[in-house]
Each structure stands twice: as C-alpha cells, then as structure tokens.
Amino acid sequence: MSKNYNIDKVKFVAAIGVVLIHVFAFIDSAYNEPLIELQWPRAIFNYAVPLFFAITGYILSSRTNEYMLKYAGSVLRLFISISLFYYVVSLLMAGLEAWLYEEPVMDAVMIIFRSKTWRQFAQGTIGSYHLWYLWASFLGISCLYGLNKIINSPRILIVSVFALYLVSLYCLQNGLLTDILRYGGFPKALMYTSIGYYVGVQGDYWKYNWRVLIGWIFVYVVTFGFFYQGEYIELLFIPVIYLVITFFNRYKGEETVIAKLGDYSDQIYLLHALGINVYGLLLFVFPKLQIHSLPIRVVLITVGATVFSLLVYIPLNRFYLEPMQQWLKKLRFKFNDNSKPNNKIDLTQSTSNS
C-alpha cells in the first residue's frame, strides 16, 4: 500500500481540532466566557477523535492480527508512561500554585494525590483528562483483535461492534456506567477503529457524490447546534467517518506541507494540554499576558500550545518516554513476537510503511 498523504493531512487537522476543543474549555473556565457553548465549532471539531480511531483501524487492516496485538501493547506502554508524567507534573504544578498563593504547599499536593480514584483509572484519565484516548484505543484495539479471532466475516464483526456501541450509548444517555464510559470509552474507540478496519479489509472505495458527504455533515452540525445534543447524536458520526475513510481509500493525495505536519500530530495530542496549563499558570504570575481580543486569544493559545508540544516532546521522548517504555517492555508487557517495534509510537499508525 502506497503512502497516503491525505491521511497525514487529516491527522494534523484533527490534532489541531482537539487542541481547539480544549482551548475553548480553558477560556470558558479561565476567562469566565461561555465559549464552549458555541455549538457550531464544537460540532466540527468533534470529528477529530473519531477520525484518529478510524485511521488507526484503516492502517491496521493492512497488518496481521498479531501485529495488532503488539501495537496495542505499545499503546498501553505509552499510556502508562505519559500518564505517570502528567501525574507528577500535576503534583508539581499544584505545589507551585499553592506557593504563589501563599498557601500550604503540602496540603495542595495531598489534595491532588487523594483526588485520584478508581473511576479515573477506569476512564484512562488518572494522568490527564485527554489521555482517555490512549486507554480507550488500547482497549478498542485489543477487543478488535479478540473479535477477529472468533468472527471471520468483516460484516458480522462491524454489526456486532455497532450493537455494542448502541448499548453503550443507551447507558450513557440514561446515566449508566458513566464512571467507565465517560467521553465514550472503549466502545467508542472500538466502533470507529472497526469502521476504518472494515473499509480497509473490504476495500471499500469512494463512489459517492460529494453532496452525500456534505449532506451528512450538514445534518449533523445543524442537529447538534440547534436540536439535540444527547448521546445518540454520535450515530450521525458513523456514516460521515465511513465516507471520509472510503475517500482516503481511493484518493491518496499528494505530499504537501500539511501532510508533513501530520507526522507531528501525536506529539501535539500528547502535550498540548500541558502547554495550555502552563499558560494558565503564567497568567497568574504575569497578568499582562491577558489577551482581550477573543479571536486573537484563541489563535495564540492554540499556536502556543502546539509549538510548546513540539518543543517539549523532543527532550521528553529522548530522556523519559523511550527509556520508560523500554523498561516497561522488559518488565512486564511482552507479547509473543520476535520482532521489536520502534518505541516511537504513532497513535494513528504511520502511513509511510503502509
């Protein structure tokens, strides 16, 4: 399979979409402005994480089932490593903030320490809220591996996964299992990963008029923005994500600057939350950093968090993430495979070798 430049482009755009979602939430809390209530941009950016899951499934469709399990183990090691990093950083930032407010430092640190619960572990948010994606991805890929072992038909597999997803949406809509399924959890990861996997295995190609895709997107955005924001709105995601992946399966695209930036989407996803938190802390120390223009504020915080992620990732990966993942691999998380994958994990799989 040749390199798919369109996937690289969308990976970068999706990563920026995730950053924007969290920038909106930060502005909502730090500036007391209800930007998060603007449903139009929210509706558009909500496509980001499902696209990440689907692209992962699409690339895994060209690999063996054993590789899928090996990759799940790599995601798990990355999740443990980065969660531990964020956990330590949260303790340090809590102590620093207490010191700046002239409050007892140890009390602030202990509050963070005691706030960690089994619910956060089950959600995958024990390190940071955005890391649920890694935990859900690990569980989703592992479930897909198991289903591949017992279900030979891709159609039966996708129908089975859809049935499970409907059950999870029903639970969330009715307030059941919310401690485990917050943000959608592994059923969401399994659903969209399976869509990408199904398109790759079946060889489904784009054979639709553009108006079909645009129509589905329009229906979702209008519905989310004006009529309904419950859990079942997710059902409108499925045909859109399917259509987008079939488009990738037919049109590989050409190499562009944005396609090259797609290689950095994982670094942006992993560390942008830290960049936003650091900016929030700097606002307290240096009040003059306040940005009064809302559009400029959104753009500058987004660009700042993105650049921060890229700069911090290089030393963090060299001196902590790679050694930690190697140690975890030797310690516990080994799979019966003689090949040794690169520890630099691409959350949506690199397309250069696909």
Side-chain angles (χ1 to χ4, degrees):
M1 188 184 295
S2 60
K3 183 174 177 62
N4 196 314
Y5 293 108
N6 277 335
I7 282 183
D8 290 337
K9 295 171 188 176
V10 171
K11 282 167 57 180
F12 176 72
V13 173
I16 297 301
V18 172
V19 177
L20 282 167
I21 289 174
H22 296 149
V23 168
F24 289 170
F26 169 78
I27 291 175
D28 185 24
S29 61
Y31 289 86
N32 196 28
E33 295 180 11
L35 187 59
I36 200 69
E37 298 302 321
L38 296 178
Q39 299 303 328
W40 287 92
R42 181 73 175 177
I44 296 172
F45 301 143
N46 275 348
Y47 284 108
V49 172
L51 276 173
F52 273 125
F53 287 135
I55 291 172
T56 296
Y58 174 72
I59 302 301
L60 285 174
S61 68
S62 64
R63 306 299 181 94
T64 65
N65 215 35
E66 288 70 26
Y67 178 88
M68 189 184 300
L69 184 61
K70 179 175 66 178
Y71 181 74
S74 299
V75 173
L76 178 58
R77 290 193 291 272
L78 177 59
F79 168 72
I80 294 173
S81 302
I82 197 70
S83 293
L84 181 59
F85 168 76
Y86 266 100
Y87 181 65
V88 173
V89 168
S90 67
L91 295 176
L92 293 174
M93 292 189 71
L96 178 59
E97 188 173 348
W99 179 73
L100 291 173
Y101 277 101
E102 298 182 349
E103 296 176 351
V105 172
M106 285 307 299
D107 288 351
V109 170
M110 291 306 298
I111 288 174
I112 297 296
F113 181 78
R114 291 167 182 160
S115 67
K116 303 301 179 181
T117 65
W118 69 269
R119 293 180 180 86
Q120 291 175 308
F121 177 81
Q123 296 164 3
T125 59
I126 197 165
S128 179
Y129 57 90
H130 71 297
L131 297 180
W132 77 272
Y133 168 81
L134 287 176
W135 180 241
S137 185
F138 161 70
L139 294 176
I141 295 170
S142 300
C143 289
L144 183 59
Y145 166 83
L147 290 172
N148 264 330
K149 285 286 190 179
I150 60 178
I151 300 176
N152 295 323
S153 169
R155 286 189 174 89
I156 296 177
L157 186 148
I158 198 71
V159 170
S160 302
V161 170
F162 180 71
L164 173 63
Y165 192 49
L166 281 179
V167 172
S168 71
L169 291 179
Y170 173 84
C171 291
L172 286 171
Q173 185 68 28
N174 292 277
L176 305 173
L177 301 177
T178 53
D179 289 337
I180 297 176
L181 299 179
R182 189 180 182 188
Y183 306 118
F186 84 91
K188 184 172 186 174
L190 178 59
M191 180 74 257
Y192 292 109
T193 303
S194 298
I195 290 174
Y197 184 82
Y198 176 83
V199 171
V201 169
Q202 291 292 102
D204 284 2
Y205 290 96
W206 173 267
K207 50 182 178 288
Y208 310 97
N209 189 291
W210 274 105
R211 286 174 291 184
V212 176
L213 177 58
I214 295 173
W216 271 111
I217 295 175
F218 178 79
V219 169
Y220 164 74
V221 172
V222 171
T223 303
F224 185 87
F226 292 102
F227 301 110
Y228 179 77
Q229 296 167 26
E231 299 299 333
Y232 293 121
I233 192 70
E234 288 280 335
L235 295 177
L236 293 178
F237 268 164
I238 293 176
V240 173
I241 298 300
Y242 170 80
L243 291 172
V244 170
I245 299 301
T246 59
F247 177 85
F248 293 152
N249 204 26
R250 182 168 184 175
Y251 302 105
K252 310 296 183 182
E254 298 179 352
E255 185 176 15
T256 63
V257 174
I258 295 181
K260 292 180 179 179
L261 291 174
D263 292 334
Y264 302 100
S265 59
D266 304 329
Q267 292 94 314
I268 295 171
Y269 187 94
L270 289 175
L271 293 174
H272 75 274
L274 178 60
I276 294 173
N277 291 339
V278 168
Y279 173 72
L281 187 61
L282 289 175
L283 279 180
F284 174 79
V285 181
F286 306 104
K288 291 185 178 180
L289 290 176
Q290 294 275 1
I291 305 170
H292 297 290
S293 171
L294 181 59
I296 295 177
R297 187 189 311 163
V298 171
V299 171
L300 289 183
I301 297 176
T302 301
V303 172
T306 300
V307 173
F308 176 89
S309 303
L310 299 178
L311 294 177
V312 172
Y313 181 83
I314 296 174
L316 180 67
N317 185 59
R318 179 179 179 182
F319 297 109
Y320 172 69
L321 288 178
E322 283 192 1
M324 183 65 175
Q325 289 175 82
Q326 286 284 3
W327 180 75
L328 288 172
K329 184 178 180 182
K330 293 177 182 179
L331 178 67
R332 185 94 178 165
F333 303 106
K334 280 189 177 181
F335 294 95
N336 296 324
D337 191 290
N338 292 326
S339 60
K340 298 181 178 179
N342 190 341
N343 275 312
K344 186 179 180 181
I345 300 304
D346 185 336
L347 303 181
T348 55
Q349 290 288 304
S350 172
T351 60
S352 59
N353 297 321
S354 59

